[in-house]
Amino acid sequence: MNYYFMPLEEHPDYGYGMIGSIYYAAANDLCSSEKFREDWYSVIPVNFLRRHCIELFLKSGIILFHRKFNINFDNDKCTGEPKIKLSNGTWKLLKTTHNIKDLYIYLDFLIKSNKDYLSKNTTTIWEFNDEFEKWIDKINGYDSKSDYFRYPISEDKNKDKNKNFFKENTMQGIQKEIEQGKKTITLIVEDSNGNAKKIYSKYMPDKIVDLFKILQKTSDELSGFHMAVRIELFNGF
């Protein structure tokens, strides 16, 4: 890829795709580490990296399609300040947009609007996985502002609880897990008399692990899309 060897400001997408590729690679590198575990808090930074690379790949695609097909950004030229056209017809600066559903809808519109050229002049099949929009909806439902995996507290306290890999438990609950053959890590907080005051045990937050898998599939899909755009439409630049 020629753009790998150019300053970011000289990229046709201002470096969005390059930085997206770096975040994508960083997530994969973390997952390949011997110390990485899907059943521990290490999934959270990986989820952040993948969620961010998804946003960057979508933004890159929007900019590159505007450049390739000479589409104005509202009243600005295709080389002007990048913007996204929302479903209500208004334009919003791309750099202030973090909602990946809005980004996906607009990118999908750009792809479909130029499908004749794409089908006649490229070898790529410009279609995402049949489940792709569902993946986007799932991710966006948790993280529409790109802050859910960055901080312990977001605007939705109920969803924040899904980040926990420990939960409050009881002696009866722990005993039941042991009888079921489950391994457990438990913290028992005692009062001054030695009585159990609080009991916490490790558990698997299924929703976060599910998001981990969805983010992986979505970022893989967009990484391939980004590569196709750079090769097919920009000759590697």
Side-chain angles (χ1 to χ4, degrees), residues 117-132:
Y117 174 92
L118 295 172
S119 62
K120 294 175 182 177
N121 296 279
T122 69
T123 59
T124 296
I125 298 174
W126 299 92
E127 295 178 1
F128 292 112
N129 186 290
D130 291 341
E131 299 292 310
F132 188 80

Side-chain angles (χ1 to χ4, degrees), residues 44 142 147-149 151-164 203 208:
I44 293 178
Y142 271 85
D147 63 353
Y148 183 73
F149 298 112
Y151 306 108
I153 300 172
S154 69
E155 294 183 350
D156 193 324
K157 293 182 179 180
N158 287 325
K159 288 180 180 177
D160 285 336
K161 294 178 182 179
N162 294 322
K163 301 172 190 174
N164 290 317
Y203 89 117
I208 287 295

Side-chain angles (χ1 to χ4, degrees), residues 71-86:
I71 304 169
N72 289 345
F73 288 111
D74 194 10
N75 295 322
D76 294 334
K77 296 180 180 180
C78 64
T79 55
E81 180 76 26
K83 298 176 184 177
I84 174 179
K85 190 173 185 179
L86 302 176

Side-chain angles (χ1 to χ4, degrees), residues 131-232:
E131 299 292 310
F132 188 80
E133 188 166 2
K134 292 181 180 180
W135 301 341
I136 291 290
D137 287 337
K138 185 76 172 181
I139 298 166
N140 207 53
Y142 271 85
D143 196 6
S144 63
K145 297 183 178 180
S146 190
D147 63 353
Y148 183 73
F149 298 112
R150 294 168 64 191
Y151 306 108
I153 300 172
S154 69
E155 294 183 350
D156 193 324
K157 293 182 179 180
N158 287 325
K159 288 180 180 177
D160 285 336
K161 294 178 182 179
N162 294 322
K163 301 172 190 174
N164 290 317
F165 281 79
F166 281 83
K167 66 176 181 179
E168 190 168 350
N169 207 341
T170 63
M171 293 301 294
Q172 292 81 3
I174 293 172
Q175 183 63 37
K176 184 177 180 180
E177 291 177 4
I178 294 173
E179 291 173 354
Q180 293 174 345
K182 296 180 180 179
K183 294 181 180 180
T184 182
I185 300 174
T186 301
L187 170 66
I188 300 176
V189 181
E190 299 178 342
D191 61 19
S192 58
N193 296 318
N195 299 313
K197 183 179 178 181
K198 288 279 188 177
I199 301 174
Y200 304 98
S201 62
K202 189 176 183 301
Y203 89 117
M204 195 70 157
D206 294 335
K207 291 182 179 179
I208 287 295
V209 175
D210 183 44
L211 275 173
F212 171 79
K213 296 176 181 177
I214 291 173
L215 283 158
Q216 181 178 13
K217 291 186 289 187
T218 308
S219 60
D220 286 345
E221 190 92 357
L222 281 170
S223 177
F225 167 80
H226 177 70
M227 185 173 294
V229 172
R230 302 307 282 254
I231 293 173
E232 294 268 36

